[in-house]
Amino acid sequence: MRVNRTRLRQVGLPVTVVLLICVSLSAFVLWRYAESLGPIDWSVAEVRSTVVLDRDGRLLRPFVTSEGRWRLPIETGDVDPHYLAMLKAYEDNRFEQHVGVDPLAMMRAAFQLVRNGTVVSGGSTLTMQVARLLEPRDERTLWAKLRQIIRALQLERQLTKDQVLKLYLILAPYGGNLEGARAASLSYFGREPKRLSLAEAALLVALPQAPELRRPDRDASAARRARNRVLERARARGVINITEAEAAKAEPVPQKRQAFPMLAAHAAEQAVANMPSLKIQRLSIDARLQSSLERLARERLERLDQRLSIAMVIIHNATGEIRAQVGSSDYMSRERAGAIDMTQAVRSPGSALKPFIYSLAFENGIAHPETLLDDRPSRYGIYQPENFDLGYQGTVTARRALQLSLNVPAVELLNELGPARLLARLHQTGVSIAMPKDAAPGLAIGLGGLGITLTDLTRLYSGLARGGEMSPLVRRLGVPAPPEPTRRIADPVAAWYVFDVLRGAPPPDNALAGRIAFKTGTSYGYRDAWAVGYDRNYTVGVWVGRPDGTAVPGLVGRVMAAPVLFDAFARIGIEPEALPIPPFALQATTATLPPPLRHVRQDVPKTLAATIQAPLKITFPLDGSRVDLGFSGPGNEHGALALKSSGGIPPLTWMVDGAPVDAATLRRETVWSPQGAGFVRLSVIDARGATDSVIIRVE
């Protein structure tokens, strides 16, 4: 049959023109529609969960977004390669070749829809799915699909394939408030998606298609069927072989969600509270050590009082980094008040402060580890210290007194130093010390009569491990700490003396001696048990007690806290290392010490017998003195007079011209406010009737 070419040209030209016009109009309409959409809105992709990481990038604790969703940051390198291969094979086999839209896939989907009357396969690429997730809408119209196509083309122009895939890994829904492959893997499998079984990878591929219908924690059968379809597609595409597919199909589907990691829960909370805008926070904590210590805290309390808790702090001495911080034995326990961070709670340290009394005495030349001290009944005014066991050792060296934690020798040294000097030194280190309001420092502060946190106490011991030099604490990495002035808790020689003494302290049962320097403490009333130990590399602090401060019979530092301390040191995983001996350290026996260091000089009698035998005497004002209290000047305001005495046996009664000044008191001083000028007789009477009097003139 001969074709009339002239006729064909006459008909074909108009048709071609019409087609060109239609194509041009369609392109113009599409261009105008694309212009009307405006730029891509990235705000959805920018909403992420805050995550707190350890020093090596391991997840310590994630937090939900402001909308209550789990959406954790993730990179394509953070997921198992099998998952990525299955995802592309199932969702978008030509992902690496197309420009955002796969025409072949769309034509196949359209043909299947016409032939079967229902959707058999989708034509959406991974890029189109990302476009839908960035601009979520419930509508399922032609215009909605057109919008996805345009956005997919825009995404491919602006992003690399890896960046598009990363957005999918972050935004894909997995049921409930789970978004992203990382959140799903942690919730359903209890681990990061870096290493997944084939069955787990297939389940993560299947869930985003119908996340609520296929949730394994609600419908395990539906989840299994969807997973197996992914495995079959992966087998058909050559991603896995038939043996691997059948083995994966036999693997059970998880039927419940697991809790997200919550290591160093208190430290993570504090970090987020301090810098809430920082979405990825890296702490100095070591996740493996932290996990081991949290298990240790739980194990130690399994058979003990349900209301007891344990707190621990580990400091790396060279850097000041906190490598572990256990705020409680069980963060979720209401009985143990687990939400309270006991590393930051102010409590009485008991005898755990004694090493700093000795270090100050060593530094000031008052004593040496081999100096002889008296451990016998003593009284300082109305204060009469007693040892924990109510017994006495007699004459002992300072070394032995500190190793046995004897109270009386420690108070003797503190009396020589002065409590104010010890308190000033503690304040100079930068740690926080709590004292009763308006109370002057007394000798009792050496036995725990003040408040301090476990973190600050551990930091003080870390200063001893650094040769007496304090180091600023480092809690997070990547954020420079503000500069701090150089502070010292002791000089290098005194710090080494304390280390050498404490390394010889008797260890708890079943522990090796001489490995670490450590000291225990028990607060008044058995409310707090402490143990702090250190070597050259690490300092570990342990607190045991009830967060509400209730007394616990038998709660003794040596019994409850010291065993935990030695176990914690063992879990660090390195051999303890001794501190180097500094120059000018005097290594001698008591007999070879310089004579002034062989005994602590006693300027006033401190034994109980000497105090009783001392005669009662008014030490101020002196007999015959004149005291100017302002009566000869203008105005009606006049001063008060302090009355002081020594010796005798309390209680004491003060009298002025035969009239009592105040009720009998155990103190050796009182205050008297005279009514006018003139001569008066001041008298004091002790418990045995001994008296002393002076006559003074008030002006």
Side-chain angles (χ1 to χ4, degrees), residues 231-351:
L231 291 169
E232 277 300 314
R233 179 76 61 84
R235 183 196 60 77
R237 294 270 168 87
V239 175
I240 59 177
N241 58 43
I242 188 169
T243 303
E244 292 172 327
E246 293 304 318
K249 289 178 183 179
E251 191 172 310
V253 171
Q255 298 187 19
K256 64 179 181 179
R257 288 176 52 168
Q258 300 187 39
F260 280 87
M262 197 176 284
L263 286 174
H266 301 92
E269 277 183 356
Q270 189 60 49
V272 173
N274 291 339
M275 301 185 71
S277 61
L278 191 61
K279 292 300 182 182
I280 299 179
Q281 310 213 20
R282 179 167 291 186
L283 303 187
S284 59
I285 286 173
D286 183 327
R288 290 173 179 158
L289 180 58
Q290 178 75 26
S291 176
S292 179
L293 292 186
E294 290 188 9
R295 286 196 304 272
L296 172 62
R298 289 192 297 269
E299 292 166 359
R300 282 287 175 175
L301 295 182
E302 281 180 352
R303 296 179 296 276
L304 298 177
D305 188 334
Q306 291 284 325
R307 294 162 294 182
L308 277 177
S309 189
I310 290 179
M312 285 179 270
V313 174
I314 294 186
I315 297 176
H316 184 248
N317 296 326
T319 61
E321 294 175 353
I322 293 182
R323 294 293 176 85
Q325 178 181 331
V326 180
S328 65
S329 55
D330 186 351
Y331 180 81
M332 303 303 293
S333 172
R334 179 172 296 180
E335 293 81 7
R336 301 188 192 277
I340 299 176
D341 184 0
M342 294 308 299
T343 67
Q344 304 300 316
V346 176
R347 307 299 282 257
S348 167
S351 296

Side-chain angles (χ1 to χ4, degrees), residues 589-602:
T589 64
T590 303
T592 58
L593 280 176
L597 280 177
R598 294 176 188 173
H599 300 271
V600 173
R601 293 186 176 275
Q602 299 184 355

Side-chain angles (χ1 to χ4, degrees), residues 92 95 98 100 125-131 152 155-156 161 164:
D92 191 351
F95 174 72
H98 64 63
T125 62
L126 284 173
T127 313
M128 291 173 64
Q129 293 182 48
V130 169
L155 284 172
E156 291 277 352
K161 290 289 186 180
V164 172

Side-chain angles (χ1 to χ4, degrees), residues 453-482:
T453 67
L454 175 62
T455 299
D456 277 343
L457 183 63
T458 308
R459 185 185 172 201
L460 288 175
Y461 277 82
S462 179
L464 292 177
R466 290 170 53 88
E469 181 181 342
M470 300 292 291
S471 172
L473 285 183
V474 177
R475 299 178 182 274
R476 65 171 76 236
L477 302 180
V479 178

Side-chain angles (χ1 to χ4, degrees), residues 26-57:
S26 299
F28 178 76
V29 170
L30 288 175
W31 175 76
R32 291 296 297 170
Y33 181 63
E35 287 292 312
S36 69
L37 294 180
I40 297 173
D41 183 4
W42 300 101
S43 60
V44 171
E46 292 169 355
V47 178
R48 310 280 176 87
S49 291
T50 298
V51 292
V52 181
L53 311 177
D54 86 331
R55 60 184 302 98
D56 297 317

